Amino acid sequence: MDGRDLLEADPLRSFGVFAEHRNFTTAARELHISQPSLHVKIRKLAAALGVELYERDGRRLTLTVAGERLAAYALDSRRRAEEFLRELHHQSAPTLTIAAGRGALRWVIGEAIQRVGHRGRRVQVITADRDAALTAVTSGQADLAIVAHDPPGRQVEAMQIAAYRQVLVLGDGHPLAARGQVRLGDLEGLDLVVPPVGRPHRRALDRALLDAGVRWQVAAEVDGWDLLVHLAALGVGATVVNGCVGLPEGLRAVPIHGLPDIRYWATWRPPRRAVVQDLLDQFGTGQ
């Protein structure tokens, strides 16, 4: 038994391991106890709390809402124990785990991560889309998520860290490339490289072009700002991205009048505020 084990309540720690695997056999093996013993621990914990912690869906085990909340609390407790032990032995600051998309990591928060790293902070990254990033935060797998478009829900804290105009990206030789600005109507008849159906950026773009009565064609569907721009550079079609995205030689970005700015939010659960504060400070608006 190590120092971390002594600082964590045994039933809570056991449930945290079970919640991670959603499997009694695997969790019991990791905890070095029998499967019946683990069943008893979790059953007693649920009875003491007066809630159901998991349920069966066919052969699968899924956590209830209360189980999800307790799993996040268990992970917080484990991390706080680890952080305390590091501080006790004068080790480095706790690792900061960030969930974000590739574009946000590269063009929105890349410099902030670099500055934090130069100050000795270790950073772990989870590459995830909006839904997966928010799930990583609410489940306790990530300390901080970076998401675009709409602000996250009330179950987490959040602040806006950036906003960028949307731009039309096309080759230097295209007639629209010489414009200082284009309107939605100017996209009539264009072949566009767009994200797959269902992605937030695609939904917003579809709605805006439909409302403006603009007819256009799908040239290709790919996920990620970098791939959208790459295919535009290959001449597959024009694309619409946010203004922070870097462009290769031969492409031009023209601001689009009529599309809203794309906003980025940093979001975290209140118990992790102290852990994420130094990164928030890099955006100039941390409190």
Side-chain angles (χ1 to χ4, degrees), residues 76 80 137 143 154-158 267-276:
D76 276 343
R80 283 197 294 269
V137 164
D143 301 306
R154 295 181 179 178
Q155 72 273 22
V156 292
E157 294 184 356
T267 181
W268 63 94
R269 287 183 301 112
R272 306 305 291 172
R273 176 68 189 235
V275 177
V276 304

Side-chain angles (χ1 to χ4, degrees), residues 17-274:
V17 174
F18 163 72
E20 181 180 354
H21 297 289
R22 309 291 207 274
N23 182 284
F24 278 102
T25 301
T26 305
R29 186 183 303 118
E30 182 173 325
L31 291 164
H32 304 291
I33 62 175
S34 69
Q35 186 173 329
S37 295
L38 180 58
H39 273 282
V40 170
K41 288 177 184 289
I42 293 178
R43 185 168 62 248
K44 287 183 176 180
L45 181 60
L49 295 174
V51 295
E52 295 294 331
L53 297 176
Y54 70 92
E55 56 192 11
R56 292 190 178 274
D57 181 11
R59 299 181 63 181
R60 294 174 58 250
L61 298 178
T62 60
L63 299 184
T64 62
V65 173
E68 293 281 4
R69 293 180 63 185
L70 184 62
Y73 177 77
L75 187 51
D76 276 343
S77 297
R78 184 188 306 177
R79 285 184 170 179
R80 283 197 294 269
E82 292 171 347
E83 290 160 10
F84 172 75
L85 290 171
R86 274 194 294 267
E87 293 175 2
L88 187 65
H89 295 286
H90 307 289
Q91 295 178 357
S92 60
T95 297
L96 175 63
T97 302
I98 304 170
R102 293 180 305 180
L105 289 168
R106 183 173 181 182
W107 289 298
V108 180
I109 63 169
E111 291 184 1
I113 290 175
Q114 184 180 50
R115 289 194 293 268
V116 167
H118 285 167
R119 294 167 57 183
R121 189 74 184 273
R122 184 169 177 265
V123 175
Q124 179 180 0
V125 170
I126 300 174
T127 305
D129 62 18
R130 177 188 172 90
D131 290 341
L134 290 175
T135 297
V137 164
T138 56
S139 68
Q141 294 177 315
D143 301 306
L144 185 78
I146 306 297
V147 297
H149 301 287
D150 299 325
R154 295 181 179 178
Q155 72 273 22
V156 292
E157 294 184 356
M159 74 175 191
Q160 184 177 323
I161 60 171
Y164 301 99
R165 294 192 68 179
Q166 297 190 58
V167 296
L168 177 66
V169 175
L170 29 67
D172 281 338
H174 195 281
L176 294 177
R179 302 263 193 101
Q181 179 177 271
V182 296
R183 296 182 176 272
L184 285 173
D186 295 322
L187 277 62
E188 177 75 26
L190 284 185
D191 293 330
L192 293 178
V193 180
V194 291
V197 173
R199 293 289 190 263
H201 179 55
R202 173 67 179 273
R203 289 199 303 266
L205 186 60
D206 281 343
R207 185 166 54 249
L209 293 174
L210 179 64
D211 290 345
V214 174
R215 294 169 298 179
W216 59 283
Q217 293 75 234
V218 174
E221 292 182 326
V222 292
D223 210 2
W225 300 122
D226 51 351
L227 288 179
L228 292 172
V229 168
H230 179 64
L231 288 190
L234 294 178
V236 174
T239 192
V240 177
V241 299
N242 71 41
C244 71
V245 176
L247 302 181
E249 188 176 352
L251 291 181
R252 173 76 188 279
V254 184
I256 304 173
H257 177 75
L259 288 181
D261 291 351
I262 294 182
R263 299 180 295 168
Y264 283 87
W265 305 82
T267 181
W268 63 94
R269 287 183 301 112
R272 306 305 291 172
R273 176 68 189 235

